Amino acid sequence: MFRTLLPLLLLTTIAATPFAPPAAASPAAAYEGRWNYDYPDSATKINMAALSLAEGAEGPQIGDIVFTATDSEHVTGRTDVGCTWQFRVTGDALTLDPPGQTCHNPVLGAFYTMREWTVRVDGDRETESLTATSHHADRDYEFTLAHGARTRVPEFDPAAAAPFAGAWQYGSPPAKAGATVTLTGNYANRLTAVTDDGCHWTLLARGNTAKLDPPAQTCTRGDSTVTLRFWTIATQGDRQLILMTGTDTTGDFVVSGDLTRH
């Protein structure tokens, strides 16, 4: 009798268990991942921020942001310069929540307030707009990015290193004009950079962007010591844009400018 009833009990249990469909992805999940700024374009104004420094002043935007969903409607964004921002899914976009968030930028040593920031995604493409204020000892400076665009990139991206490889010459700023840096593929998406002073640095490439990795490196040549705290490179064909900060025998320095393949 027991052996006869057991299959019936099992069938009854299976039939009585409701089918659970796969959970739908939360609205916030669509934004998750690492997103690189596309290469800035002064003609179309893509990723060119308008600055209040002078009439027509613009600043190209490079680097990445990592979006992480904290629940179904909220997202945390952390930029490569070390700032963290909080967003909320509102309709078809992410919006800064609350607006008016302030962060101390450890790369450039300044505070800035993000007043508005709207992000929209379509698959692996993202568009954004923002308005912000940078706070300095002498005054505040306004900047607006009306046409921001990014692409989602994988964390492990072995093909990303190849476009960076080669010898590159600084075109600006004047202090670096004529200087060169040679980038060589190391392994997978890692790069070795050799600067004119003979120092070796390591970077990690994802998509069109490479970053100093680990994020603080020191080189000593004779009596000279150089420490790099930050170095981000965006590449497109035979052009590159960089932002670099560090310390050498003269003190702290910031280098931003463009390079061409040498």
Side-chain angles (χ1 to χ4, degrees), residues 22-232:
S26 71
Y31 300 89
E32 289 193 301
R34 186 181 299 272
W35 301 81
N36 288 349
Y37 274 123
D38 297 343
Y39 200 86
D41 187 335
S42 58
T44 63
K45 305 305 181 184
I46 296 294
N47 294 333
M48 297 294 294
L51 310 175
S52 65
L53 296 171
E55 177 113 13
E58 295 180 319
Q61 304 302 295
I62 63 174
D64 65 32
I65 189 169
V66 176
F67 286 130
T68 305
T70 53
D71 60 35
S72 63
E73 295 182 352
H74 293 87
V75 171
T76 296
R78 182 171 178 80
T79 65
D80 58 334
V81 297
C83 280
T84 299
W85 309 98
Q86 304 301 323
F87 297 83
R88 182 186 184 95
V89 180
T90 305
D92 65 345
L94 279 185
T95 57
L96 206 61
D97 181 47
Q101 298 175 39
T102 298
C103 173
H104 176 258
N105 180 336
V107 170
L108 298 177
F111 284 89
Y112 58 95
T113 299
M114 202 71 68
R115 299 197 305 276
E116 297 178 322
W117 193 349
T118 301
V119 176
R120 290 181 169 84
V121 300
D122 182 6
D124 288 335
R125 300 286 299 144
E126 181 250 66
T127 57
E128 63 183 58
S129 60
L130 60 86
T131 58
T133 303
S134 180
H135 309 289
H136 297 266
D138 58 338
R139 54 168 285 193
D140 287 350
Y141 296 89
E142 306 299 317
F143 65 95
T144 301
L145 180 63
H147 306 292
R150 299 182 190 253
T151 299
R152 181 159 31 202
V153 296
E155 290 299 304
F156 181 63
D157 193 4
F164 291 88
W168 301 84
Q169 186 170 44
Y170 286 87
S172 65
K176 282 282 188 180
T180 61
V181 57
T182 301
L183 293 165
T184 306
N186 191 333
Y187 63 91
N189 52 335
R190 301 194 70 83
L191 294 156
T192 297
V194 182
T195 46
D196 278 349
D197 55 8
C199 287
H200 288 64
W201 314 93
T202 59
L203 298 97
L204 185 65
R206 300 181 184 94
N208 72 335
T209 302
K211 301 193 303 182
L212 196 67
D213 185 80
Q217 299 176 35
T218 297
C219 172
T220 300
R221 308 285 293 181
D223 296 332
S224 176
T225 297
V226 180
T227 297
L228 293 186
R229 296 186 298 274
F230 181 90
W231 188 4
T232 289

